[in-house]
Amino acid sequence: TGAISSLQRQTEIQESELRRIRSEKELLQKQLREREVQLQAVSDKFCSLTEEQRQEEVVVMMEEENRNFQQVVTEQESQLAEQNKLISELQGTITQLQAEVVSTRLHLLKQKQAQKEIQSQLEALQHKELQTRVALEVISSKFERYRNKIIQATFSVEGIEDPQTELTDDEVLEAMQKIINERTEFQQRLKNRGSR
């Protein structure tokens, strides 16, 4: 937004300069027309003189006026050429600044869209994380209940002493394996007796 404001201020400055130069151009053109009017007035004045006076006055004054007029015309044409060149440059600068403003706005729009997409992805991830946490808590709760049932079943068997401290998973597995081994051995003994 700061870049756009800066570019817009530059554009306004360039447009103001362009208006000023155009105003000066109009002033020069007005002065040129006034010179032409003055020259016409001098010409009209000479028309009222006698033929001889007219010829003498016309030759001297017209030459002087012509020199002055030519000098003014040359200077004003030079100034107009410079101002036209400057106007062209300013118009090019204004066009460039306007293009930069459009480019900056498009860039900001893309950034906003990317930010919205990232925000949407973040919200989706947060929702998924919450679901995962809930599922993990459910699984952990079920696992703990299952573990407690296993411990309860394992240490309710005759001949197995109740644990005095909190058991690790390895200790629970070891106790279960002992019961399984004993039962397997007992079943094997029964089979052997039955065969005999």
Side-chain angles (χ1 to χ4, degrees):
T1 304
I4 289 175
S5 297
S6 177
L7 289 171
Q8 287 176 336
R9 282 197 299 272
Q10 290 181 33
T11 302
E12 290 171 0
I13 291 170
Q14 296 291 343
E15 288 175 344
S16 176
E17 182 68 13
L18 184 60
R19 286 193 297 271
R20 184 186 66 80
I21 290 171
R22 283 177 174 164
S23 176
E24 289 180 359
K25 179 181 176 181
E26 290 175 0
L27 180 61
L28 287 172
Q29 289 174 334
K30 181 180 177 183
Q31 290 175 353
L32 188 60
R33 287 192 297 271
E34 289 175 354
R35 287 285 183 176
E36 289 174 350
V37 170
Q38 290 175 1
L39 185 60
Q40 184 63 42
V42 171
S43 178
D44 293 342
K45 177 184 176 182
F46 289 146
C47 289
S48 64
L49 298 175
T50 63
E51 187 65 31
E52 188 177 343
Q53 289 176 329
R54 187 183 305 167
Q55 288 179 357
E56 292 176 359
E57 292 289 335
V58 164
V59 170
V60 174
M61 296 187 67
M62 287 295 289
E63 287 179 353
E64 182 66 25
E65 283 295 324
N66 189 44
R67 282 194 298 271
N68 293 337
F69 183 72
Q70 287 296 332
Q71 184 178 358
V72 170
V73 168
T74 302
E75 290 175 358
Q76 291 184 347
E77 285 178 346
S78 176
Q79 289 179 3
L80 285 173
E82 290 179 2
Q83 288 180 349
N84 285 331
K85 180 181 177 182
L86 185 55
I87 287 170
S88 178
E89 291 174 354
L90 288 173
Q91 286 175 335
T93 303
I94 289 170
T95 302
Q96 181 182 353
L97 290 172
Q98 289 172 340
E100 289 179 10
V101 168
V102 171
S103 176
T104 304
R105 284 178 175 168
L106 287 175
H107 181 67
L108 286 174
L109 181 60
K110 288 180 181 178
Q111 282 187 333
K112 286 181 180 179
Q113 290 175 342
Q115 187 177 2
K116 285 182 180 179
E117 290 177 4
I118 292 171
Q119 184 66 29
S120 177
Q121 291 175 0
L122 177 61
E123 289 173 359
L125 287 173
Q126 288 173 339
H127 181 67
K128 191 172 183 180
E129 180 189 10
L130 180 60
Q131 289 179 327
T132 305
R133 286 179 182 273
V134 171
L136 181 61
E137 288 176 4
V138 171
I139 292 171
S140 297
S141 177
K142 288 182 178 179
F143 174 76
E144 191 61 31
R145 287 198 302 272
Y146 180 66
R147 185 177 184 275
N148 290 335
K149 287 181 180 180
I150 291 174
I151 293 172
Q152 184 179 0
T154 300
F155 290 94
S156 65
V157 174
E158 187 178 349
I160 301 295
E161 296 180 0
D162 290 337
Q164 301 300 317
T165 60
E166 186 176 351
L167 295 172
T168 65
D169 292 341
D170 289 339
E171 290 171 339
V172 174
L173 290 173
E174 186 179 345
M176 287 180 62
Q177 191 63 49
K178 182 178 178 183
I179 293 171
I180 292 169
N181 290 340
E182 288 177 354
R183 288 191 176 186
T184 303
E185 185 180 346
F186 179 72
Q187 287 177 350
Q188 190 64 39
R189 285 180 185 173
L190 289 176
K191 285 182 181 179
N192 290 340
R193 287 183 181 182
S195 63
R196 287 200 296 271

